[in-house]
Amino acid sequence: MSSNYDVQLPRNLQLLLNRSPAKRAVASFCTRYKTVILFPLIVIVMTTIFVYKNNTTQHVLLLMRDDPPPPVRLERKPKSLLNDPNRRLSRKLPVSHVFVVSAYYYAESKSLGKNAIALNMAIDSVSKKLDKAVFTIVGSNSTNTTSSTAIPYVENADMCRYSTAVAITKTIENLEKLELESDGMTVEIPFKHARSSAPKPVIFCMAPQAVGEQWQLFVLQMHLLQKYGAHTHVYLVSMLEPYFDLMQEYEKQGYATIEPWLRMKVSSSKSQFYEPNGNVELGNRAGAFTDCLLQYKEAAQYIAFIDIADLLFPVMKNSYLKEFHAEFKFHNSDSSIYYKRKGHELVKPDTLAEFSFSDAIDSLKTVTSSKKGIVVVKPHRWNSTGIYGSQYETKRNRYTVRNNYVVQIQTPDKEVNVTIRSYNSTMIKLRKKDFLTIEKDFLKIKNSSRVRGIARTLPMFDYYTLIIEECFDEIVKYNSKENLAGEKKCPNSDSCELPQGNQYNCLHSDAEYLSGPEMEPFTFHTFNHTFWSREIGCYQ
């Protein structure tokens, strides 16, 4: 911008002005009215815009190409938001903030009885100790209102401020309105009816996907689970749009159910609080697994909790249902069975045209180390779960499977020397004939006209996955340091810096966020009316 009063503006402000559609108008206006009074006014206005858009500007600087950035909706954060990493696990606040993730009503339940209500929450478990906490739940129908209390089941995460908790109690029949009461005030909580039927008797609950791009793993999962008789419930935070289109095609064909998984946002608060998403373990994965458990509690015979990279092949029977029946038959008193994980490398094809299920399995290379595994549960025996099982389950109630394990697809760790061998187990040899059936099933999807169109737009390489993995590895390394000064970091990747490329747009979950009145000892927040947004960008 030129005038008789040239001033060197900050580079970020220059960038913002350069990208502004009003640049030419401002320059013309300044040239016409060259006064000392006008120029400071323009600087003040533009600086205000810059401050308001500072989050957008930093992403402009990180664009992969020099095209206009994707639209990003700016979030106004409450002034009471705390940023105190050194006391994140020790500082107690006057109010414990609670985000109600979901609530389910059971008119009839084999395990909970009649007219039961279950609330799935993420709670600041540092400010208020939850071992003695009591929640007051108010239920109403067209004629009556009743109040009841519930003690929460808490699944603690040692390095995180927020914990997953489930509160279960009885309420009024024909429930129409649900409220939580605290400090003499109430806040209404949206609720759903728990499922009375499921697409299949075995449900695999998949951990929330954020900036999802590895469509190859999803395709592997869909056809593997379809062949052996399981339905997948996928939680989705954000995903590259072509991948989302592909996932929707599988949903239409009955392979999976896609559900938006919401970031926890506090729309308003007068009292101080710690931001939930950066202070809950792995994007509130335990909350997603618990939501899936409560949804299908009365509808499924077995529920498994997995990540998208976890492949489970049955070895004794030709279906998951029969396999799990056989395992529980010899361990009937157990409430879950546990499969250990082993890491594997996989050669991923760049395009859907190159994809072959048999070739993908043949390319597996086994890293000879075991990792934390997955659990398969009888849902009527469980009311809550963490990431790797419930803290309310003792080791005596869990059976660890000895003759099988979960194949976990992972990125090779170049800094660690590991022994790699071909994945040529007897299990794979026995299932070769099944792979032919899976291949035919895949070709049916692949050759549909709609999928052929989507296939041309799918990403050919990983971008966000590598950034998040590197970022998360840094957190793990930080937490593993000896004599660590200060507190450990909550294991999640919410703080990762994600550049906004313009090659692909992302679909992102969104909703109407609701905050209740200021209450003590608990203040409640929730959401309603979920939808998919193209305006947020490729964020977690």
Side-chain angles (χ1 to χ4, degrees), residues 307-373:
D307 186 62
I308 193 170
D310 295 332
L311 305 179
L312 178 61
F313 299 87
V315 294
M316 296 185 296
K317 305 293 182 179
N318 62 359
S319 73
Y320 292 120
L321 181 63
K322 293 178 180 179
E323 183 96 348
F324 299 154
H325 273 333
E327 293 289 2
F328 276 106
K329 180 179 180 180
F330 296 105
H331 307 280
N332 191 47
S333 62
D334 293 326
S335 60
S336 73
I337 53 178
Y338 181 78
Y339 290 88
K340 292 183 178 179
R341 284 184 175 110
K342 287 188 178 181
H344 292 71
E345 296 179 12
L346 172 73
V347 177
K348 292 191 301 182
D350 294 335
T351 66
L352 195 65
E354 300 171 352
F355 189 93
S356 163
F357 188 92
S358 298
D359 289 347
I361 298 301
D362 288 341
S363 76
L364 286 171
K365 301 293 182 180
T366 307
V367 180
T368 57
S369 60
S370 296
K371 299 176 178 291
K372 286 184 178 180

Side-chain angles (χ1 to χ4, degrees), residues 47 62 97 140 165 167 193 205 240 263 356 378 413 432 481 488 494 536:
T47 302
L62 293 170
H97 285 260
S140 305
H193 288 260
C205 304
L240 271 62
R263 288 180 59 79
S356 163
K378 292 182 176 179
D413 189 344
K432 282 291 186 182
K481 291 178 182 178
K488 292 187 176 182
D494 193 71
I536 297 176

Side-chain angles (χ1 to χ4, degrees), residues 466-480:
L466 301 178
I467 296 173
I468 292 174
E469 286 182 352
E470 182 177 354
C471 173
F472 188 78
D473 286 345
E474 289 299 317
I475 295 174
V476 173
K477 290 177 183 178
Y478 177 87
N479 287 343
S480 64

Side-chain angles (χ1 to χ4, degrees), residues 136-194:
T136 301
I137 298 172
V138 180
S140 305
N141 58 24
S142 58
T143 57
N144 292 301
T145 297
T146 185
S147 178
S148 56
T149 58
I151 299 173
Y153 298 86
V154 183
E155 303 286 352
N156 288 307
D158 294 337
M159 290 183 286
C160 300
R161 189 174 182 96
Y162 284 79
S163 298
T164 295
V166 174
I168 297 176
T169 189
K170 296 293 184 66
T171 188
I172 200 166
E173 64 180 356
N174 301 319
L175 181 68
E176 296 178 3
K177 184 179 181 181
L178 175 68
E179 295 172 290
L180 279 166
E181 182 181 7
S182 183
D183 198 26
M185 293 178 285
T186 61
V187 56
E188 185 172 356
I189 303 297
F191 70 93
K192 304 175 187 175
H193 288 260

Side-chain angles (χ1 to χ4, degrees), residues 432-497:
K432 282 291 186 182
K433 60 179 182 180
D434 290 348
F435 293 169
L436 296 176
T437 304
I438 293 173
E439 202 74 55
K440 290 180 181 178
D441 186 50
F442 166 65
L443 290 175
K444 180 185 69 176
I445 296 290
K446 174 184 174 181
N447 292 330
S448 69
S449 58
R450 170 66 176 156
V451 171
R452 284 202 306 269
I454 295 171
R456 291 191 290 268
T457 64
L458 288 170
M460 298 178 64
F461 58 88
D462 293 342
Y463 178 66
Y464 292 110
T465 302
L466 301 178
I467 296 173
I468 292 174
E469 286 182 352
E470 182 177 354
C471 173
F472 188 78
D473 286 345
E474 289 299 317
I475 295 174
V476 173
K477 290 177 183 178
Y478 177 87
N479 287 343
S480 64
K481 291 178 182 178
E482 295 182 3
N483 302 317
L484 181 67
E487 296 178 345
K488 292 187 176 182
K489 294 182 179 180
C490 181
N492 65 49
S493 54
D494 193 71
S495 62
C496 301
E497 296 279 345

Side-chain angles (χ1 to χ4, degrees), residues 173-228:
E173 64 180 356
N174 301 319
L175 181 68
E176 296 178 3
K177 184 179 181 181
L178 175 68
E179 295 172 290
L180 279 166
E181 182 181 7
S182 183
D183 198 26
M185 293 178 285
T186 61
V187 56
E188 185 172 356
I189 303 297
F191 70 93
K192 304 175 187 175
H193 288 260
R195 294 175 183 267
S196 58
S197 62
K200 293 179 180 177
V202 178
I203 300 296
F204 276 57
C205 304
M206 188 176 291
Q209 303 299 297
V211 284
E213 60 186 353
Q214 294 187 311
W215 56 267
Q216 299 94 335
L217 301 185
F218 178 76
V219 171
L220 278 174
Q221 282 283 13
M222 289 302 96
H223 294 284
L224 177 67
L225 299 182
Q226 176 79 357
K227 171 65 180 97
Y228 296 120

